[in-house]
Amino acid sequence: MTKALPSTSRSLPISLLRAREEVMGPIRAMLADVGITEQQWRVLRVLEERGAMEPTRIAEQACLLLPSLTRILQKLEQRALIQRRQDESDKRKQIVQISAAGSEVIAQNLDTSIALTEQVRDRLGVERYEMLLDLLKELSEGGAAPSED
Amino acid sequence: MTKALPSTSRSLPISLLRAREEVMGPIRAMLADVGITEQQWRVLRVLEERGAMEPTRIAEQACLLLPSLTRILQKLEQRALIQRRQDESDKRKQIVQISAAGSEVIAQNLDTSIALTEQVRDRLGVERYEMLLDLLKELSEGGAAPSED
DNA sequence: GTAATTTATTAAACATGTTAAATATATGAC
DNA sequence: GTCATATATTTAACATGTTTAATAAATTAC
């Protein structure tokens, strides 16, 4: 008797989308002032946080597909927010590094960004906020159930 | 002392994105077989579920921006999955309706779609699943805190 | 009733999402 | 060493996301 699709308003994919739009709105507004997109911001953040790395790893961390990342890196390089060099031991790879100007962009937006994050956390309450992050993590981690023989 | 950005792996926007990618993966695979995108599917679902309506309301329900919806409706109309007519009382508006062929597409994918939804719900457990939906709803609803004088 | 304003939709331009194919270098089989 | 295969990145093509502007009809002010 549970054999019906959830109404679109109770659909998990749509709920995830709506929630994300709500959270991203103010962040996008902030970044628009600097002329940077949400995705470009993610790439810069990953590089600042974890240091230089190759595109494939950036894509994983920033949750981007490689073709998208290719174009994003081209634009970030044009604007001198990153630097690229070839990996000497494996010439298929390259190593991408954030530049001083790139770090500068992050620094400029850090305070607002932190404030927006805290605002959302306070709105839900810390416990519910952490619970939400845990549930999301659980969702994105487990592909298959542990018992599958 | 809490004045630092969460690591990207603990960032709410990125967590929402990752979770959504995980959930959408199998659904996209299903729809790809019929040559329909995730967004086209959302539009058809909304029209099937709530009946004919104008684009502005479709956009709200399906969580799409109007310019995107314009293009999507053009393609759905080309494939005869929807019909459009002008609203007689207000000629700025139009009324969009799913066609028999459109309902057919939904019917074809209904069982798989329900199965995938249940699979996710079972993975989290019903209680945690409902809790997640509630948290997401809360996130996407409240813009400002109630007390702001 | 006409001008200014508002509302519904579309168009345009650029960035990204998504899938498939191309390119270049590495690795392994022999 | 040569060939087949695998890996890292890019290109191509089409769909959507996002912001701003254009268009058309409706509403309001007067």
Side-chain angles (χ1 to χ4, degrees):
Chain A
M1 269 304 295
T2 53
K3 302 302 173 186
L5 269 179
S7 91
T8 49
S9 64
R10 201 74 184 163
S11 145
L12 181 57
I14 293 184
S15 298
L16 289 166
L17 192 51
R18 279 191 212 286
R20 186 163 197 282
E21 287 312 294
E22 180 74 24
V23 173
M24 281 309 301
I27 300 179
R28 275 203 206 100
M30 168 188 82
L31 296 176
D33 295 340
V34 203
I36 282 205
T37 67
E38 171 195 337
Q39 293 84 351
Q40 291 167 358
W41 172 251
R42 285 214 300 277
V43 170
L44 292 179
R45 284 241 353 234
V46 163
L47 290 175
E48 175 85 355
E49 183 180 316
R50 314 213 175 170
M53 64 181 83
E54 64 262 32
T56 299
R57 280 214 294 153
I58 298 175
E60 287 169 8
Q61 315 261 331
C63 203
L64 291 166
L65 296 180
L66 269 168
S68 299
L69 183 60
T70 294
R71 291 171 303 209
I72 292 169
L73 291 179
Q74 287 165 353
K75 272 155 205 159
L76 290 176
E77 189 173 33
Q78 283 169 16
R79 294 179 57 179
L81 300 178
I82 60 164
Q83 291 155 2
R84 295 202 266 189
R85 63 175 189 277
Q86 217 177 23
D87 183 316
E88 285 308 319
S89 68
D90 186 341
K91 290 182 182 170
R92 292 170 306 181
K93 297 183 186 175
Q94 54 184 283
I95 298 173
V96 184
Q97 183 171 13
I98 194 170
S99 70
S103 296
E104 190 53 36
V105 168
I106 292 191
Q108 282 168 10
N109 293 281
L110 194 63
D111 289 351
T112 305
S113 187
I114 291 171
L116 290 172
T117 299
E118 291 183 341
Q119 193 174 315
V120 173
R121 203 190 50 199
D122 291 349
R123 189 144 69 72
L124 277 189
V126 179
E127 280 184 27
R128 289 160 70 72
Y129 183 83
E130 295 296 327
M131 187 186 306
L132 174 57
L133 282 176
D134 289 339
L135 287 167
L136 293 174
K137 188 181 174 194
E138 193 171 337
L139 251 195
S140 54
E141 273 176 356
S147 58
E148 274 242 324
D149 62 306
Chain B
M1 270 305 293
T2 52
K3 303 300 175 188
L5 271 178
S7 91
T8 48
S9 63
R10 201 73 184 164
S11 147
L12 181 56
I14 293 183
S15 297
L16 289 166
L17 191 51
R18 279 191 212 285
R20 186 163 197 283
E21 287 310 295
E22 181 74 24
V23 173
M24 282 309 300
I27 299 179
R28 274 203 207 99
M30 170 189 79
L31 296 176
D33 293 341
V34 202
I36 283 206
T37 68
E38 171 194 336
Q39 293 84 352
Q40 292 167 356
W41 173 250
R42 286 214 299 276
V43 171
L44 293 179
R45 285 242 351 236
V46 164
L47 291 175
E48 175 86 355
E49 183 179 316
R50 315 214 175 170
M53 63 181 84
E54 65 261 33
T56 299
R57 281 214 293 152
I58 299 176
E60 288 168 7
Q61 314 261 332
C63 202
L64 290 166
L65 295 179
L66 269 167
S68 298
L69 182 60
T70 294
R71 292 172 303 207
I72 291 169
L73 291 179
Q74 287 165 353
K75 272 156 206 160
L76 290 177
E77 189 174 31
Q78 283 169 17
R79 294 180 56 179
L81 301 178
I82 61 165
Q83 292 154 2
R84 296 202 265 188
R85 62 177 189 276
Q86 218 177 22
D87 182 316
E88 285 308 319
S89 69
D90 185 342
K91 291 182 181 170
R92 293 170 306 180
K93 296 183 186 176
Q94 55 185 283
I95 298 174
V96 184
Q97 184 170 13
I98 193 169
S99 69
S103 296
E104 191 53 37
V105 168
I106 292 191
Q108 282 168 10
N109 292 280
L110 194 63
D111 289 350
T112 304
S113 187
I114 291 172
L116 290 172
T117 299
E118 291 183 340
Q119 193 173 317
V120 172
R121 202 189 53 198
D122 291 349
R123 191 144 67 73
L124 278 189
V126 179
E127 281 185 25
R128 289 161 70 72
Y129 184 82
E130 295 296 329
M131 185 187 305
L132 174 58
L133 281 176
D134 289 339
L135 287 168
L136 292 175
K137 189 181 175 194
E138 193 172 336
L139 251 195
S140 54
E141 274 176 356
S147 59
E148 273 241 324
D149 61 307

